[in-house]
Every structure is written in structure tokens, then in C-alpha cells.
Amino acid sequence: MLYKWKLFNFPKIPQNLSPISSLIFSKPSVSVAKIDNEAQTTTSSTSFTPNPRDPVGEILKGFKNLGFQRFLGGHYFKTVLPMLTQLQVDQIINFLRVESPDFAVAFFNLLKNECGFRHSRVSRLLVSHIFAENSRFKQLRSVLDQMLEEEGSGSAPSLCELLLNGFSGWDSSGVVWDALAFAYLRFEMVQDALFVMANMKDLNLKISIQTYNSLLYNLRETDIMWDVYDDIRVSGTRQSEATSSILIDGLCRQSRLEDAISFVQGNEGKNFGLSVVSFNTIMSRYCKLGFADVAKSFFCLMLKHGLLPDSYSYNILIHGLCVAGSMEEALEFTNDMDKHGVDPDVVTYNILAKGFRLLGFISGAWKVIQRMLNKGLNPDLVTYTILICGHCQTGNLEEALRLWEMLSRGFQLNIISYSVLQSSLCKSGRVNEALSLLYEMEAKGLKPDLVTYSILIHGLCKQGELQRAIQLYKDMYRERIYPNSITKGGLLSGLCKKGMISEARIFFDSLTINDLTQDIVLYNIMIDGYVKHGNVVEAVRLYKQLVKKGITPSIVTFNSLICGFCKSRKLVEARGWLNMIKLHGLEPSAVTYTTLMNAYCENRNLHYMLDLLSEMKAKSAGSTHVTYTVVIKGLCKQWKLKEAVLLLEDMYTEGLTPDQITYNTIIQCFCRVNDLEKAFQLLNEMFLHNLEPTPVTYNVLLNGLCLYGDLKDADRLLISLQEQKISLTKVAYTTIIKAHCAKGDVHSAVIFFRQMVENGFEISIRDYSAMINRLCKRRLITEAKIVFHMMLSHGISPDQEICQVILNAFHQGGDQNSAFELLAEVLECGLL
């Protein structure tokens, strides 16, 4: 079976000894047996005259006469060492191997570690055989790993040739072959490993289950995995528990869960058929797919078969339940761990804390941490990072910063911890603080990664600090951290939104120079930037450029262009781009149709708008609530209220939920036609559909009552909203104030004006001027003086126009004293 796995053709291994191999593996001319004992009997007067023509023989003679350690420290060896060739070292190690394997290893290590000598393949394989003969497998693995690090992929044919020609028949040969295959697999050089294993089959050398398992592991995401498993069974190699676990893991990774379950059932009762690891693998896969309940059933099945779950089993299931939001069950399984003698570990508690954090229950996460402490476990960096995330998620950034400060005293923080806090600071507009964390990272020797830079660049762009964002972008390149399309797009988008179109284009050209970037997203951002700043001509020119380069436009490209022509009221050209979409083999989206329909709506072309709606439905383009809102707005402009209400009902039929804008549009239209009863019916309908009215909704209704209804009803509505503590805008107050002034109820107008001031709305000089003007026109001088003094008390300086209006009112009313008093007060305050 192994032959079919060969993924490329290697040269055939010759069966004859090479001249070099013959030279190396010939019998030694000098016996070095019992070197140390012989050296001990040698007197200090023993002379040693080296022969430079035969360094190998002389070194071996030196070992014999002076002893191994003494000779290595002598002058001659230090002199001859730099001149030794790899072939000579190979011969020495081979001679030493025969008489004293330990000296062979010592000589090998001395040259490698202290002298920096680069050993040949032969020396490495000689030492490998020594280790194999003495069952020193750790050292064997180390030697082979070092050799393969240097040899690299594709080295198997030459190494196998050397093993076959130079080491055939050695007692430890099979072990070395197997260890070599295993080493290739550790380095994920699967093709080389397959070549070694195929030759082992030819030589009838036994392949260990560890090597087979490693091969299975490397191929577990391919169908070849089954060929390997068949070969294991045919060879009669005794399987281990890991064998079935790897197979099940492979099936799960290939999304073949039914096959994985069948395999478990088929191996029931066999040696290593059922294991905790196998069940854990299946449970983990089901949890990742969101089927925590199915994972639970396998947990119960594991207990039924007499297998005791380990902490990993519980953690898998607890994590799955937490992700599913079933925190109560997750806590129950944590308590169940004690019953089965399994202690929850820090990972268990971190999973629970993260589960509470995901649900926004940071208090629950703290309780879990307390349980952890009660168990004598210490929270780790992950624990505190989860808590920081939780506080950031709930908007409690100050508590997150407090935890951060505490965390930084006892832990070596990692990039993830910094990124979490930097992201929250940027979202809260505190970009400078996020940048200070960047400098702190660098000071502590932590190198910012792409995520860190992307967060900060995005935050700076959002704040409009483009120059600093550009500088940070340059810093990335200096650090050889190359931005992805998201980072580039974020900076380009920031330049466009800031109105820096020329700078955006320079940056865009730098990204697309020499056709290195074929990213349609960058083109879309630039086209959209031109459109939003009214330069449709340049947007079209850029479109033609990307087509010329062979870049396929997306639906977003066309949506931006259509939007540009709609804003320019060039609806014929906009409709032409709809046809262009179809020529490129794309389908118009809901945004495409909605943009065009809105343009026709603004142009009061109801016919074309409804035609587009019909086409959209026919193509199943996926109408949205925005689409229907646009159509309802068009119908309302034509006073087709009945049709608008029917369309509102159709939305619910199609499973779409109208939003506040949809209702506000139609409510405003009913108010304008003085059908306040229907307008309030629609308000009640919003409540029935759990849709909270917005301040705009109430402004529309208040305006309708003020214009067409009873002003007392408007007052009652406003007072009722105040009592319910419903958020109102300044418009609600100015609308009702204006209505009371128009109807002569100035007293009520002043009351509502005072409420508007007391509720903290920003009152401008124009608001005061309008109020004083209305009062003065009706010659309500006393009330005008009250409002004027109110303005002064709030630190708003009157302008010349207000002073002139109120002074004229005093003169016309014959109240000269008030006129002089007011003028004196104004002059005294230095306001005029």
C-alpha cells in the first residue's frame, strides 16, 4: 500500500557500495580497545612522534598511547583538528564505534559543540546507530532532527541510499530507518517520509506504530489517511489508542461526523477502540458546529461505556454550553466534575468567565473568579483579559483601565491584552490613550503586530487625525509589518471622508502603481469618495481604468456610480449603469434598486419607481425595509395614503419589519392631511410591534396637533411624555411655544420656554430673539422683560437687534422708565 503514496518520483537507490563507503566502513588498522586502561599503563616518558601524512592513524595511536581525554587536550590534536576533513572524521568515529561507542559519541559531540565542526551525513548516521543500539532514543531523535534541519525537503533518496549501501545488515538499522521516517514526519516532510517507508517495506523492516500514527496525523485531512490505516492492519502492527483518535480527528476535520461515529461503533469492544480522546474529539467538533446538545449525548455515552471523562472532556462541553448561552447547564457540569473526582482547572473557570462576558453579565464573571480563588487557584493573564473585555463590552472603560493597571504589576502582558484595551479606547474616541499604550508596549519590548496598527490607524481615521494615521502607516512599513487591504482601505476611506480627495488619490496611486494591487475594494473606496464629493466624471474615469487593467468590478462599484448619477439627477445615465451590471454578469442588489427608486421618488416619477419595485421582486433581489420606506415616501408625496398603508402591511407579510423612519414618514403624511386619528393609530401600531417611537415621531405628532388639532391636546401630550421621562428634542418645545404665541397664549409659551431652558437644551440667541419678538409684537412688555432677564442670567449677550426691538416696544407702550432702566442695565453690564 505504501507505494501508492509516493507523491513524486525519486531516483532508484543503487545496491552496490560506493568507493567512499568502502573506505569508511573498512576494518580499523589500529585497535583502540580499552583506550583508557592502556593509557594508564603508559609511563610519562612514553614518546609520541606523530606522522602528519596519516592523521587518522596518528589520532587513533594517540588515543591508545595517551588515553582519550588526555590526547584530546594535547597540542598535536589541537594542531591537526583544523585540517581534518569530514571523511577523516567519519573514519575515526567508525573506528571508535567498534571498540568504544561512548568515545565515538564523545568525539562527535566535542567536534560539533566545542569546535563548531560540521559533521557529514555518515558521521551523523554512525552516531544514530550507536544511539539506536543502546536505546538512547532521545539522543537519536536529536541527531536526526539536526540533520534534517540542514538537509531539508527532498533529501530522502540520498539518505536512503547511504543507509542501504553503508549500514545494511546492522542490528540497529531498522530502528534508524524508522526514526528517520518519524523525523521527516515531525518536520511535515511527508513525501520524504513516504519514500523512506516504501524502502523499509522493500527491506522487510518493521514500521513502528508511532511512525504510522505520525503519518496518519499528517494526512488526517485527506482521503489517503484510509490507505495508511489499511496498511497498518495488513502489516499486523499493533494499533495504539492514538491510532483511532487520529482517525476520528481526521474524519471530524473532514466534516464526516457520521463516519467518525460509525468508526467508534465499529471498534467497540476492540483494543483501543473506544477512548476518552476519541469522544473528546467528536464532542469538540459538535460544539464547534453549535450542537452542544449532541455533544452532551456523547458525554453520557462515554460514561455508559465506563470511560471516565477528564478535565478536557468537561471543558469542551462547558465551552460549548457557554457559547450557546446555556450558563446554568455549564455551571451544573462544573459542579458535576467534583462528583467524578475531576478538579476544575483555571481553563474551566476562564471558560465560564468568558461565557458570562459574552452575555454581558460581568458580575457573573466576577463570581466565577471568586470561586476560582476559593479553590486555591490563581487567575492568569487570560482571566484578567476576559474581565477587561467584559468591562469594555459593557462600556465600563474606567474599571477596565483600573484592572489593566493592576494586571500590569503582576503579569508580563501580551499583545492580545494591549489590543483589547486599545480597541475599546479607540471606539470611545480616546485615541491618544490608545497610542500611549503603543509606546508602553514598545518600551516593554513587545513588538506591535498588524492588528495593533490596524486598530490605531482606524481609530485615528475615525477621529479625523489623518496625518497621524499616515505617520503610523509609515511606521508599520519601517517595522516590516505590511498592511493588509483592511488597513489600506481604512486609511484611504478616512482621507475620502475628511474631504482630502487629492491626498486620497495620491495614496491610492501609490497602492496601485505598477499594477501590484488588484484589489477592487480600494477602487470602490476611491470611486465612492469621488461620488460623495460630486466628482462623478473622475469616478467613471477610475471605473474605466480598473476595467482596462482586467480587474472585475463588483456590485459595490456600480452602486456607487449609480448613486453619483442619481445625486446629479441624471436618471437616464443612472438607469444605463443598471444595464451595465447585467453585461458584467452581476445581479443588481437591493441597494442598487433602492438607490434608483429613491431618485425616482425625489423626481416624483411614481411610475418608474413602481416598475423597479416589480423588477426587484421578480429577480428576488431581496427587498429590505429601506426599499419599502422609499416606496412609501414616494406614495405619500403623491398623497396615495391608502396604498402606503397597504404597502406597510405587505412588509409584515413578507417578513420585513418597518423601522421608525418608515412609520414617521407615513405618520407625518396623515398629520399633513389633518387625519390625526389615523396618525395616532399608527403610533399605537408601533407599540404593538415593540417598536419604540423616536423623538421625531413625537415631534411630528405635536406639530400636527398644533397646526390642525386642539392645542390643549398638544399640551397634554407633551406633559405626558415629560412624566414618562421620554426623551424629547428641542424641536418639540419650540413647536409648541410657537403655536401658543400664534394663538395668543403667551403665558403658556413662557412656561414651556422656561421648561426648555431648565431641561438643559442649548438655547441660542436666536431662540431668545424669536421669543422676545413675539412678545413685543403683542406688547406684552412685562413678559418680554422676564425673558430678557432670563437670557442675561444664562450669560447670553443680547445683540443690537434684540435691544432695539425691546426698547422700541417700551417706547411704543409709553413705558419710558422701563426703557431707561433696561438701557442702563445693559450699559452697566458692558453688553453694549
Side-chain angles (χ1 to χ4, degrees), residues 672-690:
R672 285 177 178 173
V673 297
N674 197 14
D675 191 349
L676 296 175
E677 183 180 351
K678 183 62 179 176
F680 275 93
Q681 281 180 8
L682 289 167
L683 176 68
N684 292 331
E685 189 176 307
M686 290 179 74
F687 286 119
L688 287 172
H689 289 288
N690 295 318

Side-chain angles (χ1 to χ4, degrees), residues 310-349:
D310 55 17
S311 60
Y312 189 62
S313 312
Y314 278 101
N315 288 343
I316 288 168
L317 195 52
I318 290 168
H319 182 265
L321 291 167
C322 287
V323 171
S326 303
M327 293 306 301
E328 287 187 15
E329 278 193 271
L331 289 168
E332 285 176 11
F333 270 96
T334 307
N335 296 331
D336 189 63
M337 293 177 78
D338 290 326
K339 297 177 185 177
H340 287 91
V342 182
D343 292 325
D345 53 16
V346 174
V347 175
T348 313
Y349 289 110

Side-chain angles (χ1 to χ4, degrees), residues 169-217:
W170 289 33
D171 293 340
S172 56
S173 181
V175 177
V176 174
W177 278 86
D178 187 69
L180 179 63
F182 191 54
Y184 273 121
L185 290 167
R186 283 198 304 278
F187 284 100
E188 297 182 1
M189 301 178 191
V190 179
Q191 294 172 329
D192 289 270
L194 290 173
F195 186 83
V196 175
M197 294 170 75
N199 280 280
M200 288 179 71
K201 296 285 285 184
D202 290 342
L203 297 169
N204 292 319
L205 297 175
K206 185 176 177 58
I207 300 171
S208 69
I209 192 59
Q210 288 80 13
T211 302
Y212 270 125
N213 285 346
S214 185
L215 182 61
L216 274 176
Y217 182 82

Side-chain angles (χ1 to χ4, degrees), residues 243-261:
T243 311
S244 57
S245 297
I246 294 167
L247 272 168
I248 290 169
D249 180 49
L251 290 168
C252 289
R253 286 173 179 271
Q254 296 175 46
S255 299
R256 296 167 60 181
L257 284 168
E258 290 185 4
D259 291 338
I261 296 166

Side-chain angles (χ1 to χ4, degrees), residues 268-298:
E268 190 173 348
K270 298 179 181 178
N271 288 335
F272 308 114
L274 295 175
S275 68
V276 172
V277 175
S278 300
F279 277 102
N280 287 348
T281 303
I282 294 173
M283 285 163 54
S284 177
R285 189 63 184 176
Y286 272 114
C287 284
K288 284 178 182 177
L289 293 173
F291 300 122
D293 287 340
V294 179
K296 273 197 307 182
S297 66
F298 276 96

Side-chain angles (χ1 to χ4, degrees), residues 58-74:
E58 294 304 316
I59 288 172
L60 293 173
K61 190 184 294 181
F63 287 156
K64 175 182 177 182
N65 294 336
L66 300 179
F68 186 77
Q69 295 295 340
R70 184 178 175 190
F71 179 76
L72 290 180

Side-chain angles (χ1 to χ4, degrees), residues 432-447:
N432 287 332
E433 291 177 68
L435 281 168
S436 69
L437 288 179
L438 171 68
Y439 307 138
E440 183 182 309
M441 286 173 68
E442 293 173 333
K444 290 184 176 180
L446 281 175
K447 188 176 180 181

